[in-house]
Amino acid sequence: GLLDKDREIYLPGVTIEGDIEFGRTIENTQKTEPDTKIIFTQYAIFKGDKLIGWLDEHTGKGVNILLNKIRYTTIFAKCAENKYYSLDVRKGGAKIKAEVKNKKPVITVEAKLEGVLSQADCTMKLHNPKNMKKVEKLLANAVKQQLEDTVSNLQTNFNSDIVGFAGVIHRNEPKFWKKIQKDWDIIFPTLQVNVKVDVIIKRPGLLIEPVKP
């Protein structure tokens, strides 16, 4: 049931907030702030043509990074108890490649995110390039964990390849893919996926030093 023999389907859920009938009127569409709105909620995930569940926000954001569908998002990295660094991502995505090792498919994900530091709760002199590198590493580790969680969730709880790892194997290793295609539903849950993440803070914004209460 792979879509275009590449990946399974996932779609954003939609709910309507407000009066449905009024939402169809011209008056509603002409308002600066319409009374009736279409709200996009969690992603619906499919196996073949069957709806099998909904992605939580953590996994949904991970999928968007893997599929290069992020525009503006914020990532967080904990630096102490109830203290965080956050990055407003302005650019980024992931490159995914496949190879065969010991007669098994192996996926490598290389993600790169760039953005502006928007929160810095911990004491660290960010004008020091070494300290800035430490923050970038902290954020990169947080994204790496999120992407690993995302893949694990798709494998363990859904067995649905919405990222399209099958398509990557098909393109990178076409002869090998022909051998394993029929067993993909068995292979996918234990597929080895290696994740590498690079985060670049383009500028620290106004947060050179943490805000003191």
Side-chain angles (χ1 to χ4, degrees), residues 153-169:
N153 192 11
L154 295 175
Q155 290 176 310
T156 305
N157 297 321
F158 298 104
N159 190 14
S160 182
D161 181 19
I162 63 173
V163 176
F165 292 139
V168 177
I169 298 170

Side-chain angles (χ1 to χ4, degrees), residues 2-13:
L2 287 171
L3 176 64
D4 296 331
K5 298 181 180 179
D6 189 14
R7 64 179 178 86
E8 299 283 3
I9 303 170
Y10 81 112
L11 298 169

Side-chain angles (χ1 to χ4, degrees), residues 61 72-77 84-91 113-119 132 135-136 139-140 143 198-204:
K61 186 181 287 188
Y72 297 102
T73 191
T74 302
I75 58 175
F76 298 89
Y84 297 86
Y85 289 112
S86 65
L87 186 78
D88 290 342
V89 178
R90 294 292 181 262
K91 179 182 178 182
L113 303 176
E114 297 181 4
V116 178
L117 197 65
S118 57
Q119 180 178 348
M132 190 63 75
V135 177
E136 289 176 338
L139 289 162
V143 176
D198 186 22
V199 167
I200 298 174
I201 299 173
K202 298 302 290 185
R203 62 181 189 277

Side-chain angles (χ1 to χ4, degrees), residues 25 54 66 75 110 122 131 146 183 198:
T25 65
W54 299 84
L66 291 169
I75 58 175
E110 295 182 351
C122 292
N131 289 339
Q146 182 171 23
D183 298 320
D198 186 22

